[in-house]
Amino acid sequence: MITVVGAGTGMPLPPDALAGAQLVVGGQRHLDAAPVPEGAARVVLGPLAPALDAIGTYVAEERPVVVLASGDPGFFGIVRVLAERFGAGLLDVRPGVSSVAGAFARLGLTWDDAVVVSAHGRDLRTAVNVCRARPKVAVLTGPGSGPAELGARLDGTGRVLVVVRALGDPERERVERVTPAEAAARDWGPAVSVVLCLDETRTPDGPRTVAGPGAGPARWALAEDAFAHRDSMITKFEVRALALARLGPRLGDLVWDVGAGSGSVAVECARLGAAVTAVEKTEDGAGRVRANARAHGVDVSVVHGTAPEALAGLDEPDAVFVGGGGRDLPAVVGVCAERARRTVVVAVAALDRVGPVREALTRAGLSCDGVLLQSSRLAPLPGDVTRLAAGNPVFLLWGDRLPARSEGGVQ
């Protein structure tokens, strides 16, 4: 049996946690603080492979092993690795308080409505996108993905960062509230465990008993009257439904809505969990996107400018929706296709633009497919009868880059 004990977040070890252990594995600070039985071998956790090999030797000889880990070892912890190597049936897991639970407890905040994302050994971009999309996020940090790097990427978002260092250490523990700019300017050292990212202008949706707080809305492809728009200049819900299906916005993604107009696509992507940047060339249109985002309780970053010039300097997107038209549409699509990690979706009203848009997608190395959408809605007539009212046909083209690049873990 391998006993895995959570330690180090202010809770004492169970009195019998190390009883009879012949091998104790853990970080140096855990080993120094634990009552390791006399005669038991010790292995300091650094690289995992030597520690796992040592554990394997003792397991093969049916000699008891104790592994000391931080907080809850089943929460982004060593339980996953041990279960994969030795089987879950050999593990006796005794969890402590997770660093995330401890961090929220220090602030007196609930965290059943929070999203947790790990940046430890993962691409920081996923954590950044989750922080932009959700009002209450806990980020598990790692080397190169600490509060300074996180703050640099979140500057200008209006977020507050709470940096919790050396959690559970009575002498070194620190809890500090800083702006992203202040976090970026600091050297935080190696002892950071968790950063809370809070948008204090928004209220989280509240706890979800099914699928967690990252679960999407009950419906999407909302009717046009759910958005403020000018002269019906809005992506119709039939087109938006297929566009959303092809974009696949999800928690941890960044989506661009280029030529956003009313921002209906941007808002729907944000409602589905993605971080969103909307690019709109008209000032009143940019204001309308902001108003629609506020009305739906989501955060959409709005760039007032003309594509493709306005796209320079924006973070690399996972997916892009391009609306509108004009002679420069193929050039805009080409830039988006070069930058997109996964998908570009383009709504085209003019037949003459279809060929150049397809060429722009394929030239960037994306596959290309599309459909012509023609829908007729039920419309009432006098005398309690109904007719079909035809909408304008729209070409929806999309290009996919497969396989998608790897992403970080979100809980």
Side-chain angles (χ1 to χ4, degrees):
M1 183 67 69
I2 304 170
T3 303
V4 189
V5 183
T9 52
M11 297 294 290
L13 289 174
D16 63 340
L18 281 79
Q22 296 186 24
L23 171 66
V24 181
V25 179
Q28 187 65 62
R29 66 187 178 95
H30 294 148
L31 293 174
D32 291 343
V36 178
E38 186 176 351
R42 302 180 181 214
V43 172
V44 178
L45 268 178
L48 277 177
L52 293 175
D53 290 343
I55 293 171
T57 298
Y58 277 72
V59 168
E61 297 172 357
E62 299 185 353
R63 301 165 68 187
V65 176
V66 172
V67 177
L68 300 176
S70 294
D72 182 349
F75 188 69
F76 289 104
I78 199 169
V79 165
R80 177 177 287 106
V81 175
L82 292 173
E84 290 172 352
R85 176 75 175 263
F86 304 108
L90 277 184
L91 304 184
D92 175 13
V93 181
R94 304 183 186 184
V97 177
S98 73
S99 59
V100 173
F104 279 110
R106 297 299 189 270
L107 297 183
L109 293 178
T110 61
W111 65 287
D112 50 12
D113 53 359
V115 178
V116 181
V117 57
S118 176
H120 188 86
R122 296 174 170 92
D123 190 343
L124 183 62
R125 70 183 305 276
T126 298
V128 170
N129 291 337
V130 174
C131 287
R132 289 181 55 184
R134 295 296 188 184
K136 185 187 285 188
V137 181
V139 181
L140 301 174
T141 64
S145 298
E149 293 83 1
L150 189 65
R153 299 282 294 275
L154 292 173
D155 192 18
T157 62
R159 299 301 194 267
V160 172
L161 301 184
V162 181
V163 182
V164 183
R165 295 187 285 169
L167 190 66
D169 188 318
E171 296 181 356
R172 297 189 302 135
E173 180 179 303
R174 297 290 184 275
V175 179
E176 300 180 69
R177 290 171 62 96
V178 294
T179 66
E182 290 169 340
R186 293 268 299 272
D187 180 3
W188 295 93
V192 172
S193 59
V194 61
V195 176
L196 307 183
C197 179
L198 307 175
D199 180 356
E200 296 179 326
T201 67
R202 288 196 293 156
T203 302
D205 295 337
R208 307 279 182 89
T209 57
V210 178
R219 58 169 48 181
W220 52 94
L222 302 176
E224 290 84 64
D225 60 10
F227 305 94
H229 54 88
R230 179 178 60 84
D231 299 331
S232 296
M233 298 296 291
I234 182 173
T235 304
K236 302 302 187 288
F237 73 76
E238 300 94 334
V239 178
R240 208 178 325 123
L242 182 55
L244 290 169
R246 302 312 307 176
L247 290 167
R250 57 188 172 179
L251 192 63
D253 280 353
L254 172 61
V255 178
W256 290 353
D257 182 359
V258 180
S262 67
S264 62
V265 173
V267 169
E268 296 245 39
C269 288
R271 292 178 73 242
L272 289 165
V276 183
T277 297
V279 180
E280 171 55 37
K281 66 180 180 181
T282 67
E283 186 174 352
D284 64 326
R288 200 171 292 115
V289 176
R290 295 187 184 97
N292 281 324
R294 286 194 301 270
H296 288 273
V298 296
D299 191 348
V300 173
S301 175
V302 180
V303 176
H304 176 209
T306 302
E309 294 78 14
L311 305 178
L314 298 183
D315 287 344
E316 187 178 61
D318 294 277
V320 182
F321 178 76
V322 184
R327 297 181 182 276
D328 58 349
L329 178 62
V332 173
V333 171
V335 172
C336 293
E338 292 289 345
R339 299 282 303 278
R341 295 163 60 90
R342 187 176 69 237
T343 301
V344 176
V345 179
V346 189
V348 183
L351 174 61
D352 295 344
R353 301 279 187 262
V354 173
V357 167
R358 291 186 65 191
E359 183 179 353
L361 292 171
T362 55
R363 190 186 306 120
L366 276 64
S367 63
C368 186
D369 206 344
V371 296
L372 173 63
L373 295 177
Q374 289 182 286
S375 63
S376 296
R377 299 183 184 179
L378 298 178
L381 284 174
D384 197 25
V385 295
T386 304
R387 70 180 180 90
L388 289 175
N392 292 327
V394 176
F395 293 94
L396 199 71
L397 307 175
W398 58 86
D400 294 325
R401 177 176 286 113
L402 298 174
R405 303 174 197 179
S406 61
E407 295 158 6
V410 180
Q411 178 67 26

